[in-house]
Amino acid sequence: MGKTYFTLAEANEILPIVKRDLEKLQEIKRQFRIKYEELHQLKSYHRQQGVVVQGDPYFTLECEMDFMQVEGNAVLQSFELKGVELKDVDTGLVDFPALMNGEEVLLCWRQGEERVEHYHGLYDGFAGRKKLKGEQP
């Protein structure tokens, strides 16, 4: 399958789905951190107290974390299948490959922005972002 290129209109059209998926991924990451800390504290408590436990007291937490990883990977894959590049989960930075004047660029959106209105070159990154003029590409 070839590379997907978005027009500005297409990027903005898919943006509500991208926003939803990003928020879902951020929530999974937040919940994973909570479970990880809970597991770490439980193990630390058992070690410090010299508690001998029957069975596996960590099993449920570890299973929940495994499921979160599977769920998170599925959301990441949905970005990839759409042809959208997730650059940073925490800041909500997303790029949409596009062609502008025959040159490959990345339409750039960051969480909190109403719509896609910026672009940058393939190697410029967020720091090289420029405001789009008109309805290009």
Side-chain angles (χ1 to χ4, degrees), residues 1-6 10 80-85 96-98 104:
M1 186 161 97
K3 187 167 190 166
T4 301
Y5 292 105
F6 292 85
E10 291 168 337
E80 188 177 314
L81 290 171
K82 289 181 198 76
V84 176
E85 299 177 9
F96 302 82
E104 193 172 348

Side-chain angles (χ1 to χ4, degrees), residues 28 86 107:
I28 291 167
L86 177 61
L107 300 175

Side-chain angles (χ1 to χ4, degrees), residues 68-108:
M68 287 178 195
Q69 283 186 303
V70 169
E71 192 177 17
N73 286 336
V75 176
L76 286 171
Q77 188 175 29
S78 77
F79 278 95
E80 188 177 314
L81 290 171
K82 289 181 198 76
V84 176
E85 299 177 9
L86 177 61
K87 298 297 183 167
D88 188 301
V89 174
D90 296 325
T91 61
L93 193 57
V94 178
D95 286 339
F96 302 82
L99 293 173
M100 185 183 296
N101 301 322
E103 183 181 333
E104 193 172 348
V105 297
L106 296 167
L107 300 175
C108 182

Side-chain angles (χ1 to χ4, degrees), residues 6 8-25 75 78-79 82 84 94 96 109 111-116:
F6 292 85
L8 181 58
E10 291 168 337
N12 280 310
E13 184 177 309
I14 198 173
L15 194 56
I17 295 166
V18 169
K19 287 178 182 180
R20 183 199 66 210
D21 288 349
L22 176 62
E23 288 167 0
K24 184 175 185 176
L25 194 57
V75 176
S78 77
F79 278 95
K82 289 181 198 76
V84 176
V94 178
F96 302 82
W109 175 80
Q111 193 171 32
E113 296 174 343
E114 193 171 311
R115 50 190 294 107
V116 179

